[in-house]
Every structure is written in structure tokens, then in C-alpha cells.
Amino acid sequence: MSDFDVEFQEPSLAVATTRAPEPQDASEPTTPSPLRTPEAFEAYCAQVQSRLAQYAQQRANFLLAAHDRLTRLLATARAVEDNNLYNELLQYQMATKELLDALSQVTDGAALSSLPHTPKPYSLPSEQGNNNLFRERTDFSPRPFTSLARTEGRPTASPFAAARVPRHPTRPLIEIEAEAAQMREDLKVWKERFPLQKENGELNIPNIMRLRAMAFRMRKLEEEAGDTEVTEVTELRKEIQQLLEEAGDKEYCVAFDYDLEPRPLPNQWAELAERQEETARAQEAYEWWMAHNNQLTVSDLQPLAEAVAATQQKFNRMLFRVGARDPYQQILFDNLRAWARESQCYLFSLRPRVPMAELVDKASRLESAWEQARIPVEAATRRAAVVDNLVALVSDPNFGSDPEQDEARLHEALLRCQSIGVSALDQRLRDALAPWVSFLESDPRLREVLREASMEWDRRINSDYEEASLNSVQELSEEDLEAVRAETRGKRLTLIGGLPREENRRRIQEALELAEVNWPEMRPSTLLSHFEHDIQQTDIVALSLRYSRKEWRGVADICAREGKRFVLLPNGFGLADLVKALQSQPPQPVTTVRRRTSRTIADTE
């Protein structure tokens, strides 16, 4: 048993272990009885009270030292995440607190306050390693005995209530003030560097997290200053709170919670700031992958999701150490669990009791995993840009005016799409090429694209799809219409190509005063011979290059042979396109010789 244990053993134990007094010699004077006179009894009682007060003071000092040490050990047990040891120490701490409360109720405070306070210093051995985050003080200065229990309903004047020992600054105040001043300068341009709201008015969560990290550093400065109030630190706290209020952040912030017990150390506030900033970066990565989730597969996202989850768990572990919480990291945790459940992707970092070393390793891969996830997104962006160029090409109102040149330009754009991996199943590509199937038939390298574009064309025939580029009758002047009616009035018109629609057919017939408008339904598989009889029964034939086949361009030869009026519609098949073609394309002369030659060949066959 050490000298310390002997000095601070319980009074009852000390009495029980004292040796019995040896019998005194009869010649020695005996102590007079305290009951002989009232004065002797009062003196005896005063002596007993003094001895009891001395025992109580020793007991109180021992319990205070024990409670102080248990509190520091609790912080260490929480840091190493030993739950069993933490619970055991917590029970002893609570028992020590109850003993102190009981002692404060039964002890004469006046007698205790008159005794000197000189207990033996009490300290812990220094810990091994460089981590001084939870290192205990090697020099312990006992505090006056103060009740640790709540004082509701008790007299305020307690003999054991004494002011706590002031907390002195742990580093020069001039350094603390200079650091706070620099942080205040950073806050002046904070909104420009890190906007706290998005364009739609929502909170920018990553930048809110970064501002909270600065609040953690502000608390670090406050703890380093002790009980000394530094004006720069106080103003810094007000400015941070004002920025959060202006942004609309009304969630709980642990940096402004001054009721934490035990109070986090400055090193803990610094570590909280670092992990908060890491979580802000992880939040940015999460929001990025949510914005590009449709461009990424689960296998592409799994490494990034593991790194984000590990970073969130690191911050959560630190919050657990100081007994605090953060609403935004909890939301990130819930979102990660929801994504993992919906994507059927198991995130190992979210497992309970994951070793901290594993979390640190996975969290350190955040940037590399994010960079790896950007590769397919950047490739998809390049593919989208190439498709945009192709869509812009075929959407040009003049595209198709020069069929040979425009066909070569379209082939070049499509081959560029194939070189960077644009799939023929791409819906935008199908939509853009469906009207221009006739431009794709000559190049065997475009076989897959031709098949998909033909399928899209066939699908549009069976649907109520309408071409948005069709011109309406309001775009034509009455003079233009009257000039064309002289040629079309009472005639029969056959439209080949395009998407036959009854409303458009009727509008053309009424505007040009035609006797009949024949617009047969023709699919990509329709042959030229299918509508040769219709051409013989009509007066005017209009061929649209949109939704047409290259074979159908032989209609021009049939019209020349049969003596029919032929017009080519290169850009569309609306009323305005037809009127413009009739005005700009004069009638071709009839080649009767070619007609007889064709019939001779047919008769020979």
C-alpha cells in the first residue's frame, strides 16, 4: 500500500487499523473525564468536531482527486473507443459523485473551511506515443471541494460551494488575437469564395460545412484563451453566427454549444475542424455523383461511395468522442444508406465497429476515386458534344439543299461519333437521323445507324409525331399563293416521302385549290415500284428528301418519262416548302424518247 493510499483512506478504516493503545503506567497522570464540568465537555466536543472535520476534509480531497482522474480517463476511453472500459469508468465516476454529494450534506462546512488545504499531489503517468490529444496533466493542483450535483431546491450558501480555479491562457494572447483577426479577414470575402446559397435559393451544404469548420477553429481559440475574453475572438463568433443566420442555416451547431461536459480540448476542436472540412469535400463528391448518376454505373461509383462513407464515419467518430452531433453529417449518412439500398451496393465503411485505420485508408482515396469516376462522365460529355454538333448540322434550315455535299458532311459527323463511342441506340442520334435515312444508305460503315434510324422513322409513322419545322400557311403571302394556284388549280398532286398526316394533306389541298392530294403511307421498306401507278394517275409529283429513300429519287425519271410535273422538296414537306419548290423549280421538258426506250426494254424482258 502506497503512502497516498494510507493518507487518503476512509476515516473508519483508519480507526479500525490503528493499534490498540498500550496500558499506561499507574504513575502517569490520567486524562480528566470530559463529563466533570460543562467547560470540559464543550472543549471535548470541539476537539472531536475538529478531528471529524479533518477526516472529512481528507475524504473530500480524495474523492475530488478520484473524480478528476476518472473524468480524464473517461475521455481517453472514449478516444480509443473502448465501450466496456468507458461504461466501467462511468459507473465509478457516478459513485464518486454520489459520495461527494452525501458528504456535503452531513459535514460541518464551517469546520472544513478553517482547515488548511494541503493534500498530496496526484498525477497520472505520461502516455506513450506522440498523440497528446488526450494526455493528462502531470502536475495536479487540487481544487477546493465543490459539490458536483445539481443544486435545485438546495440552499445556495453551501459550505462546500467554492469558485472553480480560473482557466489561464495556454499560449500568448497576442497570437490568439492575431489568428482571430486573420479569420475575420477571411470572412469578409467568404460569400464570394464559398457561396452559402445556390442559385435556386437552397443551402450550399458543402460551404455551410466549411463555415462550421471555421466555427470549430473559433472555439479552439476560445479554449486556448481560457477565461480571458479576447475581443477579436468574440467578434469572430458573432460574424460567423450572422453569416449562418443570413444563409438560413437554423440547424444545431456544436461549435456554439457551451454545455458540453467535459469541455473539448483545443486539440479536439482543431481535429473537429479538419474532419468537418473533409466531410465538406465528401459532400461535394456526393452531390456531384448524384448529378451524374445516370451516366455512371454502380461499379464506377462504388470506390467513390466508399471514400465518402469513410470520411463521414471519421467525422461521426470524432463527434462521438466529444458527445456532440451534427445534422448535416447525419443527413449524408442517411443518403448513403438509401443509395446503397436502392443500388444494391454494400458499403463496408458503414459497417459497425469498422477499425479506424480502415476508415482512414478508405477516406484518403477520395480524390483519386473521384478522379476515376470523372473519366466516364467526361467521355459522356464529349459524346454529347459531338451529338450536339450533328443535331445542329441536320437542324440547319438549308441542310439538304445540296444533297451530295450535305450527305458527305453527315457521313463525316457520324464517323466522328462512332470514333468516340456514341452508340447507334442513342436516342438523340436516332431522332436526328430518322428524317435523313436516304443520306445513310450509300456507306456500309453506317449500317447500324441506318437500321436504328429506319426503325425510328417507322415508329413515327405509327404514332402521332409531328415535325416541328413544318411551315404553316400564315408564313406565306397571298401573292405567292395566287401565283402558284394558276399552276395547281384543279390538278391532282402526289406527295412521296415525309410523314403523311390528314391535317397537312387537307391544308395543302385547300390552299392550292387542288382537285386531289394523294399522300400514300410509305415505310423504309417500300420500293419505288409501289407508287409508280399513282404517278401515272396524277399531274404533279413532289418528292421530299426527308423521310425518304435514295431509291425513290428515281421518281424524277418516271415523271420525265410520263410527262408529269416534278418538284423536289429538300428541306421539308409543308405547304411553304411546296410553294417555294413550285416557284423555284421550272417544269422539265418531256423526254418521249426515253419513254419509248424504257418500254422497249420492258417489252423485251
Side-chain angles (χ1 to χ4, degrees):
M1 182 179 297
S2 63
D3 297 339
F4 177 80
D5 294 331
V6 172
E7 181 175 355
F8 293 108
Q9 60 185 331
E10 296 187 15
S12 58
L13 183 60
V15 175
T17 56
T18 305
R19 292 183 300 175
E22 297 180 0
Q24 297 180 353
D25 190 7
S27 60
E28 295 180 359
T30 59
T31 304
S33 173
L35 302 177
R36 296 181 61 181
T37 60
E39 292 78 7
F41 180 73
E42 290 296 333
Y44 175 74
C45 290
Q47 182 181 5
V48 171
Q49 288 180 352
S50 176
R51 292 171 58 189
L52 291 175
Q54 184 177 7
Y55 289 140
Q57 184 68 65
Q58 293 177 358
R59 181 64 173 174
N61 289 334
F62 166 72
L63 291 176
L64 277 173
H67 186 276
D68 190 62
R69 183 175 183 181
L70 287 171
T71 301
R72 294 195 298 270
L73 291 176
L74 271 172
T76 306
R78 180 182 293 175
V80 300
E81 301 176 1
D82 191 332
N83 293 333
N84 294 331
L85 180 59
Y86 180 86
N87 293 333
E88 178 183 345
L89 293 171
L90 183 62
Q91 293 179 358
Y92 288 130
Q93 186 196 44
M94 294 174 62
T96 305
K97 183 178 178 180
E98 292 178 358
L99 290 174
L100 283 169
D101 291 340
L103 190 62
S104 65
Q105 297 177 8
V106 301
T107 309
D108 187 359
L112 288 178
S113 59
S114 63
L115 294 177
H117 184 75
T118 55
K120 182 179 180 179
Y122 183 84
S123 62
L124 284 176
S126 60
E127 297 179 354
Q128 298 294 328
N130 297 326
N131 183 13
N132 60 354
L133 188 60
F134 297 101
R135 185 173 299 167
E136 299 181 88
R137 295 173 295 178
T138 56
D139 54 340
F140 172 76
S141 300
R143 300 171 297 177
F145 175 55
T146 305
S147 175
L148 298 178
R150 296 182 181 273
T151 58
E152 289 83 350
R154 299 183 185 176
T156 56
S158 173
F160 293 94
R164 62 177 179 82
V165 177
R167 296 184 301 125
H168 300 289
T170 58
R171 66 178 177 134
L173 292 177
I174 189 173
E175 296 181 4
I176 299 175
E177 186 175 8
E179 186 173 346
Q182 181 59 48
M183 293 170 67
R184 291 186 64 191
E185 289 296 324
D186 295 339
L187 283 182
K188 293 180 180 179
V189 294
W190 187 271
K191 291 184 179 180
E192 289 74 16
R193 295 179 56 195
F194 305 106
L196 300 179
Q197 287 185 338
K198 301 179 181 178
E199 295 180 357
N200 57 2
E202 296 180 356
L203 284 179
N204 192 325
I205 303 301
N207 290 342
I208 289 291
M209 289 182 173
R210 292 187 174 94
L211 185 56
R212 286 169 171 248
M214 180 172 283
F216 287 143
R217 292 191 172 90
M218 178 273 300
R219 282 301 301 272
K220 170 181 174 290
L221 297 180
E222 286 186 347
E223 292 301 319
E224 289 177 339
D227 291 337
T228 304
E229 182 176 354
V230 181
T231 305
E232 291 289 344
V233 177
T234 303
E235 295 299 323
L236 174 63
R237 180 179 69 249
K238 295 179 180 179
E239 292 173 1
I240 295 175
Q241 289 175 333
Q242 182 179 359
L243 283 177
L244 291 174
E245 291 176 359
E246 292 176 355
D249 180 15
K250 300 180 181 179
E251 298 290 343
Y252 166 82
C253 182
V254 63
F256 303 119
D257 186 354
Y258 291 85
D259 295 330
L260 293 178
E261 183 63 34
R263 301 170 70 99
L265 302 175
N267 290 344
Q268 289 177 298
W269 287 117
E271 186 174 358
L272 278 170
E274 294 176 1
R275 298 199 180 183
Q276 178 78 90
E277 289 184 342
E278 293 174 356
T279 308
R281 186 61 173 166
Q283 179 72 27
E284 283 183 335
Y286 171 78
E287 293 181 359
W288 176 86
W289 108 50
M290 284 292 104
H292 301 86
N293 195 34
N294 58 342
Q295 301 174 341
L296 296 166
T297 63
V298 175
S299 59
D300 295 331
L301 287 173
Q302 201 272 341
L304 179 60
E306 283 287 355
V308 172
T311 305
Q312 180 272 330
Q313 285 295 302
K314 281 180 58 183
F315 185 41
N316 184 59
R317 297 279 182 92
M318 188 62 203
L319 290 170
F320 175 77
R321 292 182 192 176
V322 300
R325 62 182 179 86
D326 183 83
Y328 294 115
Q329 69 87 23
Q330 181 63 43
I331 293 174
L332 178 59
F333 173 75
D334 295 338
N335 291 337
L336 290 171
R337 290 181 59 188
W339 176 86
R341 181 172 58 254
E342 295 173 0
S343 304
Q344 296 182 354
C345 177
Y346 186 77
L347 295 180
F348 293 89
S349 299
L350 297 182
R351 293 177 300 169
R353 299 182 179 277
V354 179
M356 179 59 73
E358 182 177 347
L359 293 179
V360 172
D361 179 62
K362 289 184 179 297
S364 64
R365 305 176 189 176
L366 176 64
E367 295 299 332
S368 60
W370 196 354
E371 190 66 29
Q372 192 69 23
R374 287 193 183 99
I375 296 176
V377 173
E378 292 174 354
T381 303
R382 290 194 297 270
R383 291 194 295 269
V386 174
V387 174
D388 288 340
N389 294 335
L390 186 143
V391 172
L393 174 65
V394 300
S395 301
D396 188 350
N398 296 322
F399 183 79
S401 301
D402 188 347
E404 293 184 1
Q405 182 180 359
D406 292 339
E407 182 176 337
R409 294 167 58 196
L410 181 60
H411 288 186
E412 182 182 356
L414 281 172
L415 292 176
R416 190 180 303 113
C417 291
Q418 290 183 348
S419 65
I420 64 172
V422 178
S423 173
L425 299 176
D426 188 281
Q427 187 61 46
R428 297 180 62 212
L429 196 64
R430 289 159 54 102
D431 293 341
L433 296 178
W436 305 103
V437 170
S438 61
F439 284 11
L440 309 176
E441 296 177 335
S442 60
D443 196 333
R445 295 173 295 179
L446 306 177
R447 194 171 302 165
E448 292 185 7
V449 179
L450 173 61
R451 183 182 67 251
E452 296 299 329
S454 299
M455 293 176 61
E456 181 64 23
W457 173 13
D458 197 68
R459 184 191 67 80
R460 292 182 180 182
I461 292 177
N462 299 327
S463 65
D464 57 352
Y465 180 84
E466 291 289 345
E467 284 284 320
S469 61
L470 289 180
N471 296 311
S472 62
V473 69
Q474 286 78 9
E475 298 176 355
L476 298 171
S477 64
E478 187 62 27
E479 292 78 7
D480 293 335
L481 287 174
E482 190 61 34
V484 174
R485 285 176 186 147
E487 182 182 357
T488 61
R489 185 176 290 112
K491 301 292 183 67
R492 290 173 296 180
L493 172 67
T494 297
L495 283 171
I496 299 175
L499 296 179
R501 295 291 183 262
E502 177 60 24
E503 181 181 354
N504 295 337
R505 187 198 67 79
R506 186 171 58 253
R507 185 166 57 201
I508 293 174
Q509 182 177 356
E510 294 174 354
L512 301 181
E513 299 180 0
L514 292 161
E516 182 184 356
V517 174
N518 180 28
W519 197 350
E521 181 181 283
M522 289 162 288
R523 298 180 180 274
S525 58
T526 304
L527 300 178
L528 176 62
S529 59
H530 177 75
F531 44 81
E532 186 172 359
H533 177 73
D534 296 332
I535 296 175
Q536 296 173 356
Q537 304 299 323
T538 193
D539 300 311
I540 304 173
V541 178
L543 172 65
S544 173
L545 291 181
R546 294 172 65 87
Y547 299 100
S548 177
R549 289 189 60 187
K550 202 164 190 176
E551 180 193 4
W552 298 352
R553 299 182 190 179
V555 170
D557 295 335
I558 298 176
C559 290
R561 184 184 68 197
E562 298 292 340
K564 308 297 181 180
R565 175 78 160 94
F566 173 77
V567 293
L568 181 66
L569 308 178
N571 305 113
F573 46 88
L575 175 60
D577 299 303
L578 180 58
V579 171
K580 181 179 179 182
L582 288 171
Q583 289 177 333
S584 60
Q585 300 177 26
Q588 298 294 328
V590 179
T591 56
T592 56
V593 176
R594 184 174 181 179
R595 178 180 178 183
R596 287 196 299 269
T597 303
S598 302
R599 288 182 176 180
T600 302
I601 295 174
D603 295 340
T604 303
E605 292 177 351

